[in-house]
Amino acid sequence: MIVIAYKERIKPEHLRILEILLTRTKISRDDYYYFLNLKKGFEGELVFDAYTKQFKLDHFFLNDLQLEIRRAPFQVDALMIRTNLLILYEIKNFEGIYKWRAEKFTKTTGTELENPSLQLQKTKVCLELLLQEKGYSLKVDAYVIFVNPEFTLLGTPNDSNFILPSQIPGHFRNIQAAPELNAEQIKLAETLMNLHDSSYPRKKTQYTYSDLKKGITCPECGTLAEKFSGYSQVCTKCGNKMNVNKAIRSSIEDFHTLFPEIKLTSRRMMDWCGCGNDMRVYRVLKKNYRMIGKNRGRYYI
C-alpha cells in the first residue's frame, strides 16, 4: 500500500514572503506574529503528512485546497478520498494544557482559542454542498486532528470529532485498506483540483523594493551577505561554507517571489544581490533562465 498525494502540500506563499522579508527588513509586530502562526500551522501539516506516510494509507490525499461555494470561500487542510467516503481533516498544531468548552478552549494562563470543531463543521457543510453541486453524493467524515505531542485537552466529550495526539496512531491503523480507486474517484480528485484557487486573496504585507536590504542569503540560516566574492564564502553567522552561485540563484528566486510582476533584468539582479562580481550574477541568469529580447529590453524568465 502507498500514500498517493494527489495534490502535494507546498509552503504557503505568504509564509515564504515573510521568511524572505525577515532577512531583508523589519516587519511589523502584527506581521511577525502572523508569520509565527503560519509557520507553526505549516509545521503541523508536515507532521500530519509524515503520519500518513508512516501508516502507508492506500488512498488519495488532497492537501491545502482553497475552494468556494456560493461565493463563500473555505479551506481544506487535508482530504482523504476513499471508495465511498471522504475523510476531512482540520489540522491543529496547538500546544499546552487546555480545557474544553463548547465554543472555546481555555488555558490556566487565561489564553483562549476558538473551539476548532466550529470551523470544522462549517468546512464540512461547505464541502458537502460543493459536492452536491457537482453531482456527487458521498459521505463526508470530518475530524480535528491535534498533531503536537505536547497538547492536552481536558474534559473532551466522548462523542467529539477530535483526534488527540495519543489517538493518532490508532486512528490511522484502524483505517481499512481501500479497494483500488476507480475512475470515479480519480475524476473527483481532478474536479476538486480544478476548483482549487491558488490565487485566492489573503492577508497582504506591505513592502517596497527600496526598503529592502540587498545581498545574497545563506542557504543554511538565511543570514544576508551584502557582499560576495569568489566561488564560495563562509557565512558570518553560522559558519556554513556557501556556494556563491547557488546563493545568487536562490536570491533571484526570492526576488521573483516578492515581486512576480517585475521583470528579471541583469541590472536589477546585480543590484538585488548586493556588492560583488556583476558578471557572476549575469552568468547565473544566463545559465538558469531563458533570455527574452535583446540589448536594453532583455530580461529573463
Side-chain angles (χ1 to χ4, degrees):
M1 293 189 297
I2 58 173
V3 175
I4 307 172
Y6 199 82
K7 179 182 180 298
E8 294 284 358
R9 192 180 307 282
I10 60 174
K11 183 177 289 188
E13 181 183 22
H14 203 157
L15 174 57
R16 181 69 191 116
I17 287 172
L18 289 169
E19 285 178 336
I20 298 169
L21 292 179
L22 279 168
T23 67
R24 295 182 180 268
T25 189
K26 291 183 179 180
I27 64 176
S28 70
R29 183 183 181 89
D30 285 348
D31 279 332
Y32 181 69
Y33 283 114
Y34 182 56
F35 160 74
L36 293 179
N37 286 334
L38 283 177
K39 182 172 182 288
K40 193 171 186 66
F42 183 63
E43 289 170 348
E45 290 169 351
L46 295 181
V47 172
F48 173 87
D49 296 343
Y51 272 114
T52 64
K53 294 173 183 177
Q54 176 185 343
F55 289 97
K56 298 181 171 60
L57 304 175
D58 191 16
H59 309 288
F60 276 168
F61 270 89
L62 300 182
N63 299 311
D64 285 333
L65 286 173
Q66 182 65 56
L67 304 170
E68 183 177 283
I69 179 69
R70 301 170 189 172
R71 298 191 178 182
F74 66 100
Q75 181 177 332
V76 172
D77 289 343
L79 183 68
M80 181 196 294
I81 300 180
R82 305 193 70 197
T83 308
N84 296 306
L85 171 70
L86 300 181
I87 304 181
L88 169 68
Y89 293 98
E90 179 85 13
I91 303 166
K92 295 300 180 187
N93 194 18
F94 299 162
E95 62 180 279
I97 302 174
Y98 286 84
K99 190 169 184 178
W100 181 91
R101 290 287 184 269
E103 295 183 354
K104 298 177 182 177
F105 293 172
T106 57
K107 206 174 185 180
T108 53
T109 58
T111 303
E112 293 184 334
L113 298 172
E114 180 186 62
N115 187 328
S117 63
L118 301 176
Q119 180 62 44
L120 178 70
Q121 182 59 27
K122 178 182 175 182
T123 303
K124 181 176 183 289
V125 170
C126 288
L127 179 60
E128 289 173 335
L129 290 174
L130 182 61
L131 291 171
Q132 291 171 13
E133 188 180 272
K134 298 302 176 182
Y136 293 94
S137 56
L138 289 169
K139 181 184 177 184
V140 178
D141 283 350
Y143 300 96
V144 180
I145 184 165
F146 299 93
V147 298
N148 194 317
E150 296 186 21
F151 174 74
T152 300
L153 184 61
L154 305 175
T156 311
N158 292 331
D159 60 350
S160 73
N161 50 7
F162 293 161
I163 302 172
L164 300 175
S166 61
Q167 298 172 316
I168 294 175
H171 170 76
F172 285 126
R173 278 196 298 265
N174 290 334
I175 294 178
Q176 298 296 316
E180 184 176 351
L181 292 173
N182 58 35
E184 190 68 14
Q185 279 75 55
I186 295 173
K187 181 181 177 182
L188 170 60
E190 292 175 347
T191 297
L192 292 173
M193 280 282 291
N194 291 333
L195 291 172
H196 168 66
D197 183 4
S198 60
S199 63
Y200 195 86
R202 293 176 174 84
K203 177 181 168 68
K204 298 293 184 181
T205 297
Q206 300 300 316
Y207 53 88
T208 62
Y209 181 82
S210 60
D211 292 334
L212 305 182
K213 294 179 181 178
K214 311 305 186 287
I216 59 175
T217 51
C218 171
E220 289 295 319
C221 69
T223 297
L224 192 70
E226 298 182 18
K227 298 181 180 180
F228 62 90
S229 61
Y231 289 96
S232 63
Q233 67 183 55
V234 176
C235 174
T236 56
K237 182 176 181 180
C238 71
N240 172 62
K241 187 177 181 180
M242 59 181 178
N243 181 295
V244 169
N245 285 350
K246 289 182 179 179
I248 290 172
R249 183 176 180 184
S250 177
S251 295
I252 292 172
E253 291 300 313
D254 288 350
F255 175 88
H256 184 60
T257 297
L258 294 178
F259 306 101
E261 73 287 353
I262 299 180
K263 292 179 179 178
L264 300 178
T265 65
S266 55
R267 183 180 296 275
R268 174 73 79 180
M269 292 304 98
M270 289 170 188
D271 180 64
W272 175 252
C273 290
C275 236
N277 186 331
D278 288 349
M279 283 304 297
R280 177 150 295 167
V281 177
Y282 171 71
R283 285 194 292 268
V284 170
L285 281 168
K286 188 176 180 180
K287 179 180 179 181
N288 297 286
Y289 300 86
R290 184 159 62 93
M291 184 175 68
I292 304 294
K294 296 181 180 180
N295 301 324
R296 291 183 179 274
R298 182 174 56 198
Y299 64 95
Y300 298 84
I301 61 174

